[in-house]
């Protein structure tokens, strides 16, 4: 890519094990090596893991340590309960609101240092996250993109019962090819997804009657 003339934020979506973090790396490496470009890998889950580390006195200083801790079923349940408990208290957008605070701080730091921030969020899962990020980008003059990584790994079982996998599974099941979408292009995908989900709900309700 050429040198950016405005901050860029790319949301990256794909099923578990699809290589979303690697896609973020490729995105960062596509820019010229320049001291004025600052790449930031941001995760919606980061505020939760930071809070969990404090509450449970856990060492999440490296990705390996975090994954090892999370691999214990009891600890995974703790994370789920913490995430859902905070949403019950503060609403379903609580965690994304924390991410927006982090993004704003990083953006302000970049502006103060006269640098171009390039953001990637590699754990994008929900439609409401998209709308929140789009509003943030519009308010702050950031170019928004959405990348879909369609690789399906044999190492992981697709979690068809997991709420956070439904949008990515829709893309897999409907043979969407990998690529980068503009907001208007991705909003067409959202429209198709929500229509499909609504129809499935109606058909399910009819079958129960």
């Amino acid at each position: 890519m050429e040198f950016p003339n405005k901050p860029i934020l790319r949301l990256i979506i794909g099923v578990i094990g699809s290589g979303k973090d690697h896609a973020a790396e490729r995105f960062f490496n596509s820019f010229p090596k320049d001291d004025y470009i600052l790449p930031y890998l941001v995760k919606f889950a980061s505020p939760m893991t930071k809070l969990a580390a404090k509450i449970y006195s856990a060492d999440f200083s490296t990705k390996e340590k975090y994954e090892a801790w999370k691999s214990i079923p009891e600890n995974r349940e703790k994370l789920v309960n913490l995430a859902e408990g905070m949403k019950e208290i503060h609403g379903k957008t609580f965690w994304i609101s924390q991410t927006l605070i982090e993004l704003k701080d990083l953006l302000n730091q970049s502006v103060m240092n006269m640098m171009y921030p390039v953001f990637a969020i590699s754990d994008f899962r929900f439609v409401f996250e998209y709308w929140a990020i789009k509003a943030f980008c519009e308010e702050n003059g950031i170019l928004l993109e959405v990348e879909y990584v369609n690789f399906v790994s044999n190492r992981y079982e697709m979690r068809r019962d997991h709420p956070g996998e439904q949008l990515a599974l829709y893309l897999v099941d409907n043979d969407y090819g990998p690529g980068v979408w503009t907001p208007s292009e991705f909003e067409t995908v959202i429209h198709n997804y929500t229509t499909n989900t609504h129809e499935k709900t109606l058909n399910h309700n009819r079958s129960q009657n």
Side-chain angles (χ1 to χ4, degrees):
M1 286 191 180
E2 297 178 356
F3 193 91
N5 57 12
K6 65 189 301 186
I8 301 174
L9 189 152
R10 180 174 290 188
L11 292 168
I12 303 174
I13 188 168
V15 296
I16 183 172
S18 59
K20 297 182 288 293
D21 284 347
H22 290 300
E25 254 180 68
R26 288 195 302 272
F27 172 55
F28 293 144
N29 290 335
S30 69
F31 292 95
K33 301 299 180 187
D34 193 291
D35 291 339
Y36 290 97
I37 296 178
L38 280 177
Y40 293 111
L41 178 61
V42 180
K43 302 223 177 191
F44 288 125
S46 293
M48 185 191 70
T49 54
K50 289 176 184 176
L51 181 59
K54 290 181 180 179
I55 292 175
Y56 303 120
S57 301
D59 181 5
F60 295 163
S61 57
T62 66
K63 182 179 179 180
E64 290 74 21
K65 289 180 179 179
Y66 169 68
E67 292 296 336
W69 186 90
K70 192 176 69 169
S71 67
I72 300 170
E74 179 185 340
N75 290 341
R76 181 179 287 272
E77 187 175 350
K78 286 178 181 177
L79 287 177
V80 172
N81 290 339
L82 174 62
E84 295 306 313
M86 294 301 283
K87 285 194 286 187
E88 284 180 15
I89 296 170
H90 300 287
K92 74 174 185 178
T93 60
F94 172 75
W95 294 113
I96 192 171
S97 68
Q98 304 306 301
T99 302
L100 294 179
I101 292 171
E102 179 184 1
L103 284 170
K104 187 66 175 177
D105 287 344
L106 293 172
L107 183 63
N108 288 339
Q109 289 173 30
S110 302
V111 171
M112 286 175 59
N113 293 317
M114 294 185 291
M115 294 183 173
Y116 285 100
V118 177
F119 302 103
I121 300 180
S122 61
D123 59 349
F124 166 46
R125 294 185 177 92
F126 295 99
V127 171
F128 73 84
E129 292 173 341
Y130 169 79
W131 294 119
I133 289 295
K134 182 186 180 186
F136 176 84
C137 289
E138 289 177 343
E139 290 169 7
N140 292 280
I142 299 172
L143 176 67
L144 176 62
E145 301 175 338
V146 180
E147 179 175 359
Y148 168 49
V149 184
N150 75 333
F151 178 71
V152 177
S153 171
N154 293 325
R155 293 177 55 199
Y156 300 92
E157 182 178 351
M158 287 192 287
R159 302 172 295 179
R160 292 194 170 273
D161 60 338
H162 194 288
E165 290 285 276
Q166 298 310 302
L167 178 53
L169 283 169
Y170 168 80
L171 299 175
V172 170
D173 293 342
N174 288 273
D175 297 322
Y176 279 88
V180 179
W181 290 313
T182 65
S184 61
E185 290 169 338
F186 186 66
E187 283 161 29
T188 299
V189 175
I190 290 176
H191 172 76
N192 294 338
Y193 166 69
T194 53
T195 300
N196 178 271
T197 303
H198 180 64
E199 288 174 354
K200 280 187 176 179
T201 301
L202 287 177
N203 290 336
H204 174 75
N205 291 340
R206 290 191 192 106
S207 68
Q208 300 301 307
N209 295 331

